[in-house]
Amino acid sequence: VSRAAPLPSRLASLSAEKAVIGKLAAQTATRDGWIFITHGSTALAVAKALNDGPAVSVMTNMPAIAEVLQSGLKHRVTLTGGEYDYANGALMGEQVLEAISECIFDTAIIAAYGVDPVHGLVESSKYLQRFKRLLFERSRRRIFVADHSKFGASGAYVSASLSDIGTIVTDEPPPARFADGFKDAGVRVVYPQKNDTNNMEENTNGQ
């Protein structure tokens, strides 16, 4: 499925893999944490997994995330405001950037559009570059989520160099050509691995 496909199509693609990523990323949440979650099908999987964890406060530009987290029942959810983009199921525009700029988040959970082995995280538009760079500035910790198809995927704009990534959660080990760059940049890669009893466990690979 194309990364430019409407959200419903992307939700159906690699859904099991995204659920695993969501579970791993959600394990990093702490009670009463202040978290930003970006829009995206993998980010939505994180929100679904967070629903079973400790109570958190979330800001997001994706209305579906607020619905999944059952805003007001357990978690506190704030929508950024902005113009609704149906294809991405997301709020976009200057209102989103203004909402982020007024906050400092404990954690930002950021869906990756593409990961380049030399340049880092890449985006499809100048706006998304601005959006994610602002989140880097306004968060104490950043966790990137990306299914295996995002590694090597192209993009016109760089939002984060390899050294700015920190932690990336995915569903399988990245291709070998990423190993040296990730190791030199200190990128922490988290992915599931089956142990001897065939149970899923977290595997951390510093590459």
Side-chain angles (χ1 to χ4, degrees):
V1 174
S2 167
R3 291 175 294 165
L7 180 64
S9 297
R10 286 183 278 128
L11 289 173
S13 175
L14 300 174
S15 58
E17 290 85 348
K18 291 172 183 177
V20 169
I21 294 169
K23 181 179 179 181
L24 286 175
Q27 291 173 0
T28 67
T30 57
R31 180 173 296 278
D32 299 324
W34 182 214
I35 301 170
F36 192 100
I37 306 177
T38 67
H39 63 283
S41 55
T42 307
L44 184 58
V46 177
K48 290 177 180 178
L50 276 173
N51 209 32
D52 296 326
V56 292
S57 295
V58 170
M59 179 180 282
T60 183
N61 66 320
M62 188 175 190
I65 286 176
E67 295 176 5
V68 162
L69 288 172
Q70 301 175 8
S71 178
L73 295 180
K74 178 180 180 180
H75 306 287
R76 180 182 177 187
V77 183
T78 302
L79 288 170
T80 58
E83 182 176 353
Y84 186 66
D85 177 351
Y86 172 77
N88 288 299
L91 301 169
M92 301 288 197
E94 292 299 321
Q95 283 182 267
V96 176
L97 304 181
E98 289 171 6
I100 294 170
S101 68
E102 293 173 354
C103 302
I104 298 176
F105 300 98
D106 296 315
T107 304
I109 296 174
I110 302 170
Y113 179 78
V115 187
D116 184 275
V118 175
H119 301 292
L121 296 183
V122 293
E123 310 298 336
S124 61
S125 70
K126 189 73 173 176
Y127 169 77
L128 290 175
Q129 179 192 53
R130 290 176 59 203
F131 168 59
K132 292 183 182 178
R133 283 185 173 179
L134 183 59
L135 275 174
F136 304 157
E137 296 173 4
R138 293 292 177 172
S139 56
R140 296 185 176 94
R141 180 178 60 160
R142 295 166 293 280
I143 297 171
F144 297 92
V145 291
D147 67 68
H148 63 269
S149 71
K150 301 301 193 305
F151 290 90
S154 61
Y157 302 91
V158 176
S159 59
S161 65
L162 290 178
S163 60
D164 290 329
I165 291 177
T167 298
I168 188 164
V169 182
T170 186
D171 58 299
E172 61 182 50
R177 67 182 184 277
F178 284 83
D180 289 343
F182 278 4
K183 181 178 180 181
D184 293 344
V187 177
R188 176 175 178 257
V189 183
V190 179
Y191 55 86
Q193 181 173 308
K194 289 187 177 182
N195 61 23
D196 293 338
T197 58
N198 292 320
N199 294 318
M200 300 303 288
E201 63 179 9
E202 176 181 326
N203 183 80
T204 302
N205 184 351
Q207 296 211 28

